[in-house]
Amino acid sequence: MKKIVNAVDDVLTESLQGFVAAHSDLVVLGRDGKFVRRRDPTPGKVQLLSGGGSGHEPLHAGFVGLGMLDAACPGQVFTSPTPDQMLEAAKTLAPEAGLLLVVKNYEGDVMNFEMAVEMAGDLLGPVATVLTDDDVAVETSTFSTGRRGVAGTLVVEKLVGAAAEEGADLAACQTLGTRVNAATRSMGVALTSCTVPAAGRPTFELGEAEMELGVGIHGEPGRRRVPLMSADAMAEEMIAALLSDYADRPDEVLLLVNGFGATPLMELYLLYKAAADRLTASGVKVARSLVGNYVTSLDMAGASLTITALDEGFARLWDRPVHTAGLRWGC
Amino acid sequence: MKKIVNAVDDVLTESLQGFVAAHSDLVVLGRDGKFVRRRDPTPGKVQLLSGGGSGHEPLHAGFVGLGMLDAACPGQVFTSPTPDQMLEAAKTLAPEAGLLLVVKNYEGDVMNFEMAVEMAGDLLGPVATVLTDDDVAVETSTFSTGRRGVAGTLVVEKLVGAAAEEGADLAACQTLGTRVNAATRSMGVALTSCTVPAAGRPTFELGEAEMELGVGIHGEPGRRRVPLMSADAMAEEMIAALLSDYADRPDEVLLLVNGFGATPLMELYLLYKAAADRLTASGVKVARSLVGNYVTSLDMAGASLTITALDEGFARLWDRPVHTAGLRWGC
């Protein structure tokens, strides 16, 4: 295993400490590193809390800040945070206007967020949840009943975060989040496995000339193991899978090309061109774009494509200011 | 070779097309892809032009925009752009207030930028150059006489770009760039080799338990081949090398932890903590920070540390607005 780490047990703690130190203008670390929250909260708004296993950086802590999340709970690598972490973060947020949980659809995350809500009882006031399950590759998977929540989670967090910042109430934020998730589709491809530090060896084996089409962000199996494809062929297959999953083909989309951690920007932009060309050829306009490493899988080589069917409201919220470690514009 | 590409000969062209399409609000592509320039130039200012081999994305085209570069010429992977490209970019910029070239110290780049200036003759008005050579690892290298220009180039482009945007004249921009370069030191470490698409195999061989300390951004040899170190040991050795290279130890620094392309953010933040701790323990205050993949080496795993000794003027220019694909704040 070749990684820039010290003791394997300290990877999360030290990485979080580095993250918070590098972005001390934006975030503070909760007691015992249980959560990361905004340094300068916007008072009176619906509070957005997310979280999940680490190893997907910048998701979620890198999306804490103005116009996106109010706090995030980082679990150990690829492991759900505990209900205790979530409860402590929620209490610190003091969500008078309501608390919205953004939860990726994995059994551990779903169970632990539910348990945190039960433990909270009436302590927190109103709580609502948005579940993300944008991965069209497979219908159930290693850690999920139903589709997996992957890079589309970023889009949900961005749009709902913008609405909350504008003063939308809890019900409106929940409805919006559910609508954004329903308008969003993702699919990924792995060229190499990731390696979980504590395991010390690749999560799965992949031949020199093979790739995993439809891989999950923890290295879960996808649709099928195939010979290495050209970028154009990858884009064609993935865009076809995404578009065919909509009842009504969208007119305009946001296109997110998301690297899994070990694929350089040069390849991501090349894949962006291939994907945008396929969408255009299919009569779908690419109206907003994002290219980079946003919802990663440790050191996995590969990338995912996400599209969100845009209406005017979604596009406007996408363009609203955001100031986080991982996404920043308009301020 | 596992990469997201189509034909190897089309990697640069397709990646550039994707880049410009994804950032069409910011940049336009010159004829035949010879350069990338700002869509909305600031009139009357000193024009900043840089360039170099591709494979280091987002450097340089990703730093074209308000507060940084006015144009960048991308060469083939790890290959200098041609004088013809530079001349055409310069002519398009119509630099009435003067043209400042930011050139990384590699023989090909230096020679081709010089040739472009000669070819231009009196056509362009005043031209000045800032050479970057921030890599302390080795005194001469495979492609360079004298030290290599690496991630510190970003700092030079950011600070001089801010000054030019404020109306600094050509002589002031050149003096500033030279001062920033002289205040900046970098050193990197490779855990794996990069693979140039046209070569199709790793640039160098590295054992499973080895790393290259002081590696160049094209995979050039560093100081020595050593057994894999902990993050703390890497940081200690690199920070010691950087600090001992200053005649006067700086009081305050900008710390840039730069990924080489295949190292995930989680490890970069962990390395940031290790490096910041070493600086603090050495009595050096980390006053500004940047962590991410900024000056990459294709798919090389590893990272570099860059520090710039800050004075008030440098810190103020760092904080000024920048709006590029790769760096953005304040607007």
Side-chain angles (χ1 to χ4, degrees), chain A residues 1-6 11-12 14-15 17-19 21-23 54-55 57-58 77 191-192 206-210 228 230-232 234 261-267 269-273 289 291 298-299 302-303 325 328-331, chain B residues 1-6 11-12 14-15 17-19 21-23 54-55 57-58 77 191-192 206-210 228 230-232 234 261-267 269-273 289 291 298-299 302-303 325 328-331:
Chain A
M1 179 178 71
K2 286 193 143 177
K3 289 184 189 288
I4 302 179
V5 295
N6 294 305
V11 169
L12 174 58
E14 292 180 5
S15 179
Q17 287 172 351
F19 171 77
H23 302 288
S54 295
E57 291 68 25
V77 171
L191 272 57
T192 71
L206 205 50
E208 258 313 295
E210 285 182 328
L228 198 58
S230 71
D232 283 344
M234 283 180 208
T263 287
L265 212 41
M266 194 176 197
E267 294 175 41
Y269 280 120
L270 194 149
L271 181 61
Y272 173 87
K273 174 184 155 47
S289 301
V291 182
L298 293 167
D299 52 356
R328 181 167 180 181
W329 57 74
C331 55
Chain B
M1 178 178 71
K2 285 191 144 179
K3 289 182 189 288
I4 303 180
V5 296
N6 293 304
V11 169
L12 173 58
E14 292 181 5
S15 179
Q17 287 172 350
F19 171 77
H23 302 287
S54 294
E57 292 69 26
V77 171
L191 271 59
T192 70
L206 206 49
E208 258 313 295
E210 285 181 328
L228 198 57
S230 70
D232 283 344
M234 282 179 208
T263 287
L265 213 42
M266 193 175 199
E267 294 174 43
Y269 280 120
L270 195 150
L271 181 61
Y272 173 87
K273 173 183 155 47
S289 300
V291 182
L298 293 167
D299 52 356
R328 181 169 179 179
W329 56 73
C331 56

Side-chain angles (χ1 to χ4, degrees), chain A residues 43-60:
Chain A
K45 69 184 270 294
V46 169
Q47 298 290 301
L48 264 66
L49 171 64
S50 191
S54 295
H56 305 302
E57 291 68 25
L59 186 85
H60 294 275

